[in-house]
Amino acid sequence: MKTFRIGGVHPRENKITATQPITVAPLPQQVVIQLAQHIGAPAQCVVAKGDTVKVGTLLAKANGFVSANIHSPVSGTVTKIETVADGSGYQKPAIYINVEGDEWEDCIDRSETLIKECNLDAQAIIDKIDQMGIVGIGGATFPTKVKLMPPPNMKPEVLIINAVECEPYLTNDHALMLAKADEIIVGIEILMKAINVNHTYIGIEANKPDAIELFKQKTQTRKDIEVVRLQCRYPQGGEKQLIDAVIGRQVASGALPVSTGAIVQNVATAYAVYEAVQKNKPLIERVVTVTGKSLSRPGNYLARMGMPISQLIEVAGGMPEDTGKIVLGGPMMGRATANVDTPTGKGTSGILVIPDSEAHRHEPTPCIRCAKCVAACPMGLEPYLLSKAVAIGNLEIAEERNIYDCIECGCCSFSCPAHRPLLDYIRQGKGKVMAIMRARATEKK
């Protein structure tokens, strides 16, 4: 089995919902649609208080190249355009819609009929993906159209589909693969046409044997799509790690992943591309894993965007009495939230309810220079040194030692026997260093 070369850890998988099929979550009474559901500039609102919208109505237009359109996931009335607290507690602009029925825009094909043929050319495909607001929904939420338009001097050679799902607890991609394999394959074909490549690798970790077997069956007569069985190792779903694991090429420090000749797209994004191009359906819903050891009905739920996480937890059986922490995403890269009314968005892959007995950090003790964090870092960094540099305010050393290459996977903190909050310091320092680098680049212009 293949895997990446540097670092990595293998935390307990805790795939509690691995055998749970996708369940459609009921419509909420109100949704709150954030205008920043993607990397880049927030979308610009194009509706007003009192407007009536349908499912699929454009609510906000992309505001720049790195931005994305946002569409209504429900039908109803816009009640206000204000702000809402995101998962980190920051107030962000948002559109509030009261749900009234479930009326869809006529242009959206809601049938279950599989449409295989795509007659659009590459640019028309990219334009359609742009129009439908498709972003990377594995968690990064990078606008998909941007990834499909690499710099002219970087020609993609292969497409890699990220079906790894290495984050503990999360199984939304796994459930989607089992339910929508045919649609995903058509989505892959559309992506290949958009970037003009002749070969695709689908990387799936070995703990999903049913998905591996299904996709091998679906592609057994094809030479252009290859299923790659990968060793279970976190963070193999990281773009740079996956490229290394699948085609054996490493992304140089500061370089774009496409410099290796590969463009990576999440498996759920491939499905969203199918729906956008073949069904004229914007990205208005996604599968969310709602899980935790104390939940009575953990599962993989198809939820409309803007649904409060508290309501999804209710669908999964309600908030357990022993809840100590709620994490948006998985336990390694997800972030705890103090606001249970935070609305879901395009990047909400999971809601993890952690019992109080597991929710507290250990008290940190002095670093013993064991170098376990160095061995675990998949980017070849020195986390103990970077965290120390940030703690004492020496950002010059942090920059010199490539703190900006950190992918914030948490392997360093996970492996530290002294329970040092390494990632906390590094994440803080990375933001400061990158701000300095941007300011320096601006001054040179």
Side-chain angles (χ1 to χ4, degrees), residues 6 28 126 146 166 195 205 223 274 280 283 411 434 438:
I6 300 174
I126 293 171
V146 179
C166 61
I195 59 175
E205 282 198 331
K223 294 183 179 180
Y274 165 80
N280 211 40
L283 185 51
C411 286
M434 294 188 75
R438 285 192 296 269

Side-chain angles (χ1 to χ4, degrees), residues 14-26 165 167-179 208 210 285-292 295-304 307 312-313 315-317 329 348-352:
N14 288 318
K15 303 283 190 178
I16 298 169
T17 52
T19 60
Q20 295 295 318
I22 297 170
T23 301
V24 178
E165 201 165 47
E167 180 85 47
Y169 285 97
L170 300 187
T171 59
N172 48 291
D173 284 351
H174 188 180
L176 185 66
M177 285 189 280
L178 298 181
K208 305 171 188 62
D210 48 359
E285 61 185 359
R286 64 158 299 153
V287 180
V288 180
T289 299
V290 187
T291 186
L295 281 175
S296 59
R297 292 194 300 273
N300 301 298
Y301 294 95
L302 182 64
R304 304 283 178 93
M307 186 174 182
L312 274 174
I313 292 172
V315 172
T348 308
S349 56
I351 300 168
L352 172 58

Side-chain angles (χ1 to χ4, degrees), residues 142 147 150-151 153-154 239-241 243 249-262 379 402 404-407 434 437:
F142 196 78
K147 262 197 172 183
N153 62 331
M154 295 184 184
E239 190 171 24
K240 297 175 181 180
Q241 285 67 43
I243 291 171
R249 299 177 188 174
Q250 293 182 312
V251 182
S253 176
L256 294 173
V258 71
S259 64
T260 64
M379 295 304 296
N402 301 344
Y404 45 79
D405 280 338
C406 173
I407 61 172
M434 294 188 75
M437 292 171 68

Side-chain angles (χ1 to χ4, degrees), residues 23-73:
T23 301
V24 178
L27 286 175
Q29 293 182 333
Q30 183 189 68
V31 294
V32 183
I33 310 301
Q34 299 178 76
L35 299 185
Q37 294 185 43
H38 47 263
I39 286 178
Q44 188 170 11
C45 181
V46 296
V47 294
K49 179 180 178 180
D51 285 356
T52 300
V53 297
K54 298 179 181 179
V55 178
T57 300
L58 182 67
L59 297 178
K61 292 185 67 174
N63 190 16
F65 181 60
V66 185
S67 187
N69 288 344
I70 295 174
H71 301 77
S72 178

Side-chain angles (χ1 to χ4, degrees), residues 93-384:
I95 301 168
Y96 291 69
I97 304 173
N98 280 351
V99 180
E100 300 159 3
D102 193 28
E103 187 178 356
W104 291 55
E105 292 283 0
D106 294 336
C107 60
I108 301 174
D109 181 357
R110 300 181 63 193
S111 72
E112 293 294 319
T113 305
L114 179 70
I115 303 175
K116 291 185 177 181
E117 297 299 322
C118 175
N119 298 319
L120 301 179
D121 63 22
Q123 189 57 54
I125 289 170
I126 293 171
D127 290 343
K128 193 71 172 180
I129 287 169
D130 183 20
Q131 179 189 347
M132 295 293 108
I134 308 304
V135 303
I137 54 179
T141 65
F142 196 78
T144 301
K145 63 106 181 259
V146 179
K147 262 197 172 183
L148 301 180
M149 299 172 68
N153 62 331
M154 295 184 184
K155 174 70 174 69
E157 302 167 18
V158 297
L159 172 68
I160 298 178
I161 295 298
N162 184 351
V164 172
E165 201 165 47
C166 61
E167 180 85 47
Y169 285 97
L170 300 187
T171 59
N172 48 291
D173 284 351
H174 188 180
L176 185 66
M177 285 189 280
L178 298 181
K180 300 292 182 181
D182 291 327
E183 291 86 349
I184 289 167
I185 289 172
V186 176
I188 290 170
E189 293 169 347
I190 292 169
L191 287 168
M192 290 171 68
K193 189 174 183 180
I195 59 175
N196 190 28
V197 299
N198 298 316
H199 199 84
T200 291
Y201 298 97
I202 306 174
I204 311 176
E205 282 198 331
N207 59 0
K208 305 171 188 62
D210 48 359
I212 292 173
E213 183 59 30
L214 176 61
F215 275 84
K216 282 189 173 180
Q217 288 177 3
K218 296 286 185 181
T219 60
Q220 61 183 341
T221 61
R222 307 185 61 147
K223 294 183 179 180
D224 58 339
I225 300 179
E226 180 180 344
V227 178
V228 182
R229 186 168 178 258
L230 298 170
Q231 179 182 325
C232 293
R233 191 174 173 196
Y234 176 86
Q236 196 148 231
E239 190 171 24
K240 297 175 181 180
Q241 285 67 43
L242 184 59
I243 291 171
D244 185 22
V246 172
I247 63 173
R249 299 177 188 174
Q250 293 182 312
V251 182
S253 176
L256 294 173
V258 71
S259 64
T260 64
I263 284 182
V264 179
Q265 293 287 349
N266 177 264
V267 68
T269 306
Y271 177 67
V273 165
Y274 165 80
E275 292 204 302
V277 176
Q278 304 295 76
K279 298 287 188 174
N280 211 40
K281 180 182 174 183
L283 185 51
I284 50 90
E285 61 185 359
R286 64 158 299 153
V287 180
V288 180
T289 299
V290 187
T291 186
K293 295 178 180 178
S294 298
L295 281 175
S296 59
R297 292 194 300 273
N300 301 298
Y301 294 95
L302 182 64
R304 304 283 178 93
M305 305 300 180
M307 186 174 182
I309 64 170
S310 57
Q311 291 188 30
L312 274 174
I313 292 172
E314 284 301 314
V315 172
M319 191 79 71
E321 291 184 3
D322 66 347
T323 298
K325 184 182 292 185
I326 299 172
V327 173
L328 299 182
M332 297 296 287
M333 292 192 74
R335 300 198 183 194
T337 179
N339 178 19
V340 295
D341 292 322
T342 296
T344 58
K346 295 179 181 181
T348 308
S349 56
I351 300 168
L352 172 58
V353 181
I354 302 178
D356 188 67
S357 59
E358 299 180 9
H360 301 284
R361 293 186 179 189
H362 295 280
E363 280 295 319
T365 56
C367 174
I368 59 173
R369 298 296 192 272
C370 67
K372 286 187 176 181
C373 62
V374 177
C377 180
M379 295 304 296
L381 304 177
E382 301 168 287
Y384 76 94

